[in-house]
Amino acid sequence: QVQLVESGGGSVQAGGSLRLSCTTSRYTFTMGWFRQAPGQEREGVAAIDSVGRLIYADSVKGRFTISKDTAKNTLYLQMNSLKPEDTAMYYCAARDISLAGDFGIVPRPDSFAYWGQGTQVTVSS
């Protein structure tokens, strides 16, 4: 089992920035950020694995940056130029399978075994 705890959410005006963090109870090979807005399905935002593969959703490319500090078992999501449509609950997730089999496409949520409780991000116009 892996426990994940997110932090860093909040409210910000459009154009602003936030940095999300996710601390895990043990090392995992791949980690990702997902988000879910009310009435919508959970969608992938970005993912990173331990050999440096990075995948971003088209909607966040150039604005969001995913990174991880393996020594601290912590995952980050730097979010810049935030838009109202970024408003959602953001979840951290982890799995022990690499991103190689995703072929550059944001992984599906059901491919991740471990999940945090989520942190709310609200962007006002």
Side-chain angles (χ1 to χ4, degrees):
Q1 276 292 346
V2 181
Q3 282 75 49
L4 300 92
V5 179
E6 303 99 334
S7 61
S11 297
V12 65
Q13 289 192 328
S17 298
L18 285 172
R19 189 175 83 153
L20 306 183
S21 299
C22 172
T23 302
T24 66
S25 59
R26 69 162 175 85
Y27 165 83
T28 55
F29 197 87
T30 296
M31 297 189 71
W33 289 100
F34 294 78
R35 67 186 181 187
Q36 188 168 19
Q40 298 187 18
E41 293 187 353
R42 192 168 296 188
E43 64 175 2
V45 175
I48 183 171
D49 72 12
S50 295
V51 294
R53 294 183 185 92
L54 299 171
I55 300 176
Y56 291 95
D58 288 344
S59 58
V60 306
K61 282 180 182 176
R63 300 188 299 122
F64 291 10
T65 302
I66 189 171
S67 62
K68 68 175 183 173
D69 185 331
T70 301
K72 296 181 179 180
N73 284 343
T74 301
L75 178 73
Y76 302 99
L77 185 68
Q78 178 66 44
M79 305 186 293
N80 298 328
S81 302
L82 282 160
K83 304 175 181 180
E85 51 263 44
D86 295 317
T87 296
M89 184 71 78
Y90 282 71
Y91 297 90
C92 171
R95 72 187 195 194
D96 291 312
I97 303 170
S98 80
L99 291 172
D102 296 281
F103 304 105
I105 299 173
V106 176
R108 290 171 39 178
D110 62 6
S111 71
F112 280 74
Y114 310 108
W115 290 85
Q117 294 298 308
T119 185
Q120 178 68 37
V121 171
T122 302
V123 185
S124 58
S125 58

